[in-house]
Amino acid sequence: MVPLVLSAHVRAFFSCMSLPKSQVPMWALLPFRFHPTFFTSMQNTLPCITGFAPFPLSSCCIHTAPSIQLLTDQSDLAALPTQFPANKVVLKNMIYNELEDWVESMGHKKTRAMMLWRWLYGRDKWVESADEIIGIKKDFKQLLQDTGDFGALALQNIYVAKDGTRKILFGVEEGSTIETVVIPCDRGRTTVCVSSQVGCAMNCQFCYTGRMGLKKNLSTAQIVEQLVVASRLFSTELGPITNVVFMGMGEPLHNVENVIRAANIMVDLHGLHLSPNKVTISTSGLVPQLRRFCRETACSLAVSLNATTDEVRNWIMPVNRKYNLHTLMSALKEEISCKKDFKVFFEYVLLSGINDSLEDAIRLTKLVDGVPCKINLLTFNPHKGASFVPSSKEQMLAFRNTLIDAGLLVFMRESRGDDQMAACGQLGEPVVPEAPRLRVPARFHSALAV
Ligand code: SF4
């Protein structure tokens, strides 16, 4: 099915409902790829649609369980578009120089590339079709209409957790789904957590996404589009997106080429213009790709550490069997020594009885010695079928205090969005057959929930 550009249809829908323009919701003026069943769903979901005034998208979705969805039943979801135009150039797949070359190769002046770039990524622009662009020459607009594909994802659904965290579901080609999380913060910061793959090959034992296995890598456009759509949907309500973390579905550095390209688009001065130190790529420890990342971008790096011995890490993060703690930490020290004022974030999910002892805390201080860093201590977010148990508050505090006493910079991160499975390690939906559970070292059997 061919994806639809929504704006014209939505405008028509609201005009059918006899709404004055002032009462047409902001989001209706934004064109997205929706399936036509959306309109029927909207009529079902919002029977009293006339008579409402301001109507931000989120206000129709805010809910506590059970969730209210934009699309009302699963048969609607199954009917969402799965085909994307094959004969068009996906504009967001290109970094700026490539866009310039493409514009020139199509017989237009290079300077038009900058104009297009600003319409794609500039603040409050984020256009989804050539029809929305104003002030460009007719022949250039025609070219974009005929050959340019502005989108890369199909918006499927939005869930809002009690704490205001939003989880956006997008369809990608071949019927796969990815999840993007928007995390508002009361200190004027809004973070978008983007996915880089459908599923993940790393099989970290505490992670729901890991149980899916890897389905596919996302393209540059599919990664960038998550941020663009989040900006379009939520900037008016939540303020500008200030931070991006690559901590959604997937191991970003397993898709290193597209992740570096997407990160470079996100920090481009004339487009999305995020500060490089506000764009953080997380890795489970793929050492060669980590070296490449450090050399090719100025973005921030987070390393998901989660254990202080190879015995435990080999079990809970099997990537350690290839790149063990010594190899990982040596590579980090080497790469960071060439960077000025650079600090690595170490992520450490505390699992009761597995990695949260005071001996672990002391080992951690030795492990990170010589690496300029900040440490984020995270609560384990339980999910269906998980046998790990979150550490108690007391144990987390004792662990943190040991690190602080050793002079480390430590933050305790609260879970966000866990009632909507939007928290760290909870994204995705495993299908049978799941990635295999690994053998539990005998001494940890008693620490797991039965
Ligand atoms: S924690 Fe990250 S790297 Fe590990 S399985 Fe989950 S998504 Fe993949």
Side-chain angles (χ1 to χ4, degrees), residues 127-393:
V127 295
E128 272 275 314
S129 81
D131 301 340
E132 292 177 73
I133 303 180
I134 45 176
I136 58 167
K137 296 269 188 221
K138 252 188 181 166
D139 58 342
F140 189 47
K141 190 176 231 180
Q142 193 63 52
L143 168 79
L144 295 176
Q145 280 163 342
D146 293 345
T147 55
D149 187 2
F150 284 69
L153 296 167
L155 179 59
Q156 287 193 345
N157 235 324
I158 299 174
Y159 301 87
V160 183
K162 286 180 199 149
D163 63 8
T165 299
R166 275 81 165 161
K167 181 163 88 170
I168 312 172
L169 261 63
F170 291 107
V172 293
E173 305 96 323
E174 296 153 19
S176 304
T177 304
I178 55 158
E179 300 181 4
T180 304
V181 183
V182 181
I183 310 157
C185 170
D186 52 10
R187 283 165 286 156
R189 199 177 63 199
T190 299
T191 299
V192 174
C193 176
V194 297
S195 294
S196 53
Q197 298 180 309
V198 181
C200 183
M202 295 298 126
N203 197 18
C204 300
Q205 298 293 287
F206 49 84
C207 173
Y208 199 53
T209 315
R211 283 165 48 191
M212 292 174 72
L214 177 63
K215 308 290 178 228
K216 77 183 279 283
N217 278 337
L218 297 186
S219 65
T220 304
Q222 287 164 339
I223 299 171
V224 172
E225 181 87 326
Q226 295 172 62
L227 172 59
V228 171
V229 173
S231 302
R232 290 167 66 105
L233 286 173
F234 298 118
S235 292
T236 307
E237 185 192 352
L238 303 175
I241 307 293
T242 53
N243 296 55
V244 174
V245 292
F246 284 67
M247 296 182 186
M249 292 163 69
E251 157 57 89
L253 296 189
H254 199 203
N255 183 14
V256 66
E257 181 71 31
N258 288 327
V259 163
I260 290 178
R261 290 166 65 83
N264 285 337
I265 292 173
M266 289 173 183
V267 302
D268 186 278
L269 206 62
H270 303 292
L272 292 159
H273 196 191
L274 283 149
S275 161
N277 60 18
K278 305 281 185 203
V279 176
T280 304
I281 281 89
S282 171
T283 181
S284 58
L286 289 174
V287 168
Q289 292 89 334
L290 179 152
R291 287 187 187 278
R292 180 175 167 194
F293 170 81
C294 287
R295 289 168 196 190
E296 292 184 23
T297 85
C299 294
S300 295
L301 177 69
V303 175
S304 191
L305 204 54
N306 306 322
T308 60
T309 65
D310 283 327
E311 181 202 16
V312 174
R313 205 161 190 271
N314 284 344
W315 162 39
I316 64 172
M317 299 185 71
V319 66
N320 197 73
R321 298 171 189 194
K322 186 148 192 195
Y323 306 110
N324 66 18
L325 281 168
H326 175 73
T327 311
L328 173 62
M329 299 313 286
S330 308
L332 270 175
K333 279 178 198 164
E334 234 176 272
E335 295 301 328
I336 284 163
S337 63
C338 327
K339 289 192 171 247
K340 201 166 164 264
D341 298 331
F342 192 87
K343 281 192 168 69
V344 178
F345 294 92
F346 286 112
E347 310 287 322
Y348 199 98
V349 180
L350 285 153
L351 306 168
S352 180
I354 308 292
N355 64 2
D356 65 345
S357 68
L358 296 188
E359 291 74 33
D360 277 303
I362 292 163
R363 269 196 299 271
L364 182 54
T365 64
K366 293 183 180 147
L367 208 53
V368 302
D369 189 33
V371 183
C373 66
K374 296 176 187 176
I375 296 184
N376 286 331
L377 298 180
L378 310 167
T379 309
F380 170 64
N381 297 305
H383 46 77
K384 200 169 52 190
S387 48
F388 294 104
V389 177
S391 300
S392 66
K393 192 88 183 163

Side-chain angles (χ1 to χ4, degrees), residues 2-3 5 33 83-94 102 106 128-131 141-152 173 221:
V2 177
V5 174
R33 294 161 184 279
Q83 297 291 316
F84 291 80
N87 55 349
K88 290 198 168 188
V89 174
V90 181
L91 299 172
K92 292 192 183 99
N93 265 338
M94 292 185 262
W102 178 73
M106 301 309 280
E128 272 275 314
S129 81
D131 301 340
K141 190 176 231 180
Q142 193 63 52
L143 168 79
L144 295 176
Q145 280 163 342
D146 293 345
T147 55
D149 187 2
F150 284 69
E173 305 96 323

